[in-house]
Amino acid sequence: MMTQDLLHLDRRCAALLALLVILLHGGCASTTRTPEAAATPTRYAFWPPYPDEPRIQFLASFQHSGQVSEYKPSALADIVYGKETQTESAVNKPYGVEMWNGRVYTCDIRGGAVMIFDLRKKQTRIMGTTGREILVRPTDIAIADDGTKYVADIARNLVFVFDADERFVRTFAMKDWQPSGLAVFGDRLYVANFVAQRVEILDRFTGSPLGHIGERGDEDGKFVRPLGVEVDADGNVYVTDVIRCKMQKFSPDGEFLFGFGTITNNIGAIRRPKHLAVDDEGLIYIVDSAFQNVQVFSPDGYILTFFGAAGQHPGAMYLPVGITIHHGDMDLFKQYLHPDFEARYLILVTNQFTENKVSVYAFGQLRPGVTVADIRASQADITLGIEDAAAAGSPTIGGEVSPEEIPADLKR
């Protein structure tokens, strides 16, 4: 019996060894190669599309940790240790977004956390789910130059503060407020107060109130439902109002400078503005979840272009909400750039639906000597216009925005 057992064991070991050799040398793959992937040319999504010169290119998108994590289980590990189920952390319903030091921070209002895609370390982490204070419905995040992070939680009516190493520090609270949007500039933290209908100014180190911008009303310099807030390089403050469908600009002292926005189905109007961003030249980027795009306005409020739109093309959007502009870390996306496109900075946009939960775009221009005709063959076909978005079955196209639906929409 002992001899037979050893014989059976030898046979099983030989069979296992043969299986390992097959796996390590490509398995049972056929010698016939399929060249479809190599033969298919890369297509790049640009805005504005041909025949205009492109200024914005879609690069990539993220949804779950598997797209960032470097670890991949091997066939040998599956045999020796058993095939285990790999759980992946995913963004469920993103809202605000920021990028700092090679990391993408995304507020997940359904997951009750901030998802961190660390692109340099190829890791994914979660912030705000442990300790004595945890996030419930984070809607926006702002990051200071020193790495201090501020997160608005509209369910708990708190602003959470985390240090550069993503450790919880403290919370800020005020009476009669519901923080929806954040911006940091110098020693100041600007908080869009959704219920008090104004923008609070806090000392970012202590949370002490320093004043506020605006008040309740339907006139210039006033708000009905302020949601997004941003500060430019000169300290001017920009605020989107989701009910008035306007963007208003204020001086650092809170003086109303100008505003724009009309409710129509035409590009250049504002139907359901969410968060916004301003670049170093004063270009204003406004996310509009009704138009399913991001519109780009000049510093004095004139429409320049837009990108996104509903559809199946690369860089399409479905209920976009958050946006940020990020300088640096361009090397992380170099592989996605068109070889004839010179990128200046990154634009990150969150979508509540579709697989493109966090989409990354680049702002730039064609290299000197390159024409739009030179890159025409490599451009992807993209959807344009409000009519196309409506045809795609968007539930947010058509009809006026009612005040009653906005708080529920914000809290989804």
Side-chain angles (χ1 to χ4, degrees):
M1 293 294 296
M2 182 66 68
T3 302
Q4 291 179 348
D5 289 341
L6 290 175
L7 181 60
H8 289 312
L9 179 60
D10 288 341
R11 289 174 178 174
R12 286 197 298 268
C13 289
L16 177 60
L17 180 61
L19 178 60
L20 290 178
V21 170
I22 292 173
L23 289 171
L24 293 175
H25 288 78
C28 299
S30 170
T31 56
T32 303
R33 303 182 63 182
T34 54
E36 287 80 7
T40 302
T42 302
R43 310 290 286 184
Y44 300 87
F46 285 110
W47 290 268
Y50 183 87
D52 295 323
E53 181 175 351
R55 302 308 303 271
I56 296 169
Q57 182 202 324
F58 170 71
L59 301 179
S61 65
F62 304 99
Q63 181 180 10
H64 56 79
S65 58
Q67 297 166 308
V68 175
S69 176
E70 191 173 44
Y71 172 74
K72 300 293 182 183
S74 66
L76 177 60
D78 285 345
I79 292 174
V80 176
Y81 300 107
K83 190 172 184 178
E84 61 182 4
T85 301
Q86 299 294 317
T87 59
E88 294 181 338
S89 300
V91 179
N92 295 292
K93 207 164 190 180
Y95 228 82
V97 62
E98 275 290 347
M99 188 170 180
W100 179 79
N101 199 26
R103 308 168 197 166
V104 178
Y105 295 80
T106 306
C107 296
D108 189 341
I109 61 174
R110 179 171 292 168
V114 175
M115 177 76 73
I116 305 165
F117 294 111
D118 192 329
L119 303 183
R120 293 209 175 276
K121 293 184 178 180
K122 297 184 179 179
Q123 297 175 349
T124 305
R125 299 186 293 278
I126 302 293
M127 187 172 74
T129 60
T130 60
R132 67 180 184 274
E133 296 283 0
I134 62 173
L135 295 167
V136 174
R137 193 161 290 167
T139 56
D140 200 17
I141 179 171
I143 304 178
D145 291 338
D146 62 5
T148 302
K149 299 158 188 70
Y150 303 87
V151 181
D153 192 315
I154 202 167
R156 298 201 59 191
N157 296 330
L158 295 172
V159 172
F160 285 67
V161 184
F162 300 88
D163 65 15
D165 296 319
E166 300 157 10
R167 294 173 297 198
F168 171 78
V169 177
R170 60 175 300 180
T171 59
F172 296 155
M174 289 182 65
K175 183 180 179 181
D176 300 325
W177 82 332
Q178 193 176 38
S180 60
L182 300 173
V184 62
F185 183 81
D187 295 343
R188 292 186 168 191
L189 178 68
Y190 295 87
V191 183
N193 190 337
F194 201 68
V195 294
Q197 296 162 276
R198 64 189 192 184
V199 175
E200 311 289 355
I201 307 173
L202 308 182
D203 182 302
R204 79 173 183 90
F205 299 104
T206 66
S208 302
L210 303 177
H212 67 270
I213 296 175
E215 59 183 283
R216 181 177 306 181
D218 197 25
E219 304 168 7
D220 287 345
K222 299 182 180 181
F223 306 108
V224 176
R225 289 295 187 205
L227 192 153
V229 59
E230 182 64 289
V231 183
D232 67 17
D234 297 322
N236 298 304
V237 182
Y238 302 73
V239 186
T240 52
D241 192 317
V242 72
I243 291 293
R244 294 190 64 200
C245 300
K246 288 185 177 294
M247 195 294 304
Q248 298 186 84
K249 179 180 178 180
F250 300 83
S251 72
D253 297 326
E255 176 189 359
F256 173 78
L257 298 178
F258 75 91
F260 61 86
T262 56
I263 306 176
T264 72
N265 276 340
N266 300 320
I267 293 298
I270 301 176
R271 286 296 303 274
R272 186 173 292 181
K274 293 297 178 73
H275 290 301
L276 76 161
V278 182
D279 76 357
D280 52 3
E281 294 182 353
L283 297 183
I284 307 166
Y285 292 73
I286 299 179
V287 178
D288 198 310
S289 62
F291 290 163
Q292 316 280 31
N293 67 14
V294 174
Q295 298 189 84
V296 186
F297 297 86
S298 67
D300 48 3
Y302 290 96
I303 183 68
L304 298 177
T305 188
F306 62 93
F307 62 98
Q312 301 300 317
H313 57 276
M317 298 180 185
Y318 193 7
L319 289 185
V321 178
I323 186 171
T324 189
I325 288 173
H326 179 69
H327 292 268
D329 292 317
M330 194 65 68
D331 61 298
L332 294 171
F333 300 93
K334 184 178 180 180
Q335 60 181 313
Y336 304 109
L337 279 169
H338 191 289
D340 291 324
F341 191 72
E342 292 184 335
R344 287 178 46 196
Y345 55 76
L346 300 172
I347 309 165
L348 285 76
V349 179
T350 60
N351 294 278
Q352 291 196 322
F353 296 97
T354 81
E355 295 182 354
N356 301 327
K357 293 297 176 67
V358 184
S359 292
V360 185
Y361 306 79
F363 177 88
Q365 61 281 319
L366 293 179
R367 296 185 183 279
V370 177
T371 68
V372 292
D374 294 332
I375 66 167
R376 179 70 183 104
S378 63
Q379 284 188 269
D381 294 329
I382 59 177
T383 301
L384 292 176
I386 304 306
E387 294 80 6
D388 290 328
S394 166
T396 59
I397 298 295
E400 298 301 326
V401 179
S402 65
E404 291 78 15
E405 88 174 282
I406 296 302
D409 174 72
L410 179 63
K411 295 177 183 180
R412 286 189 305 174

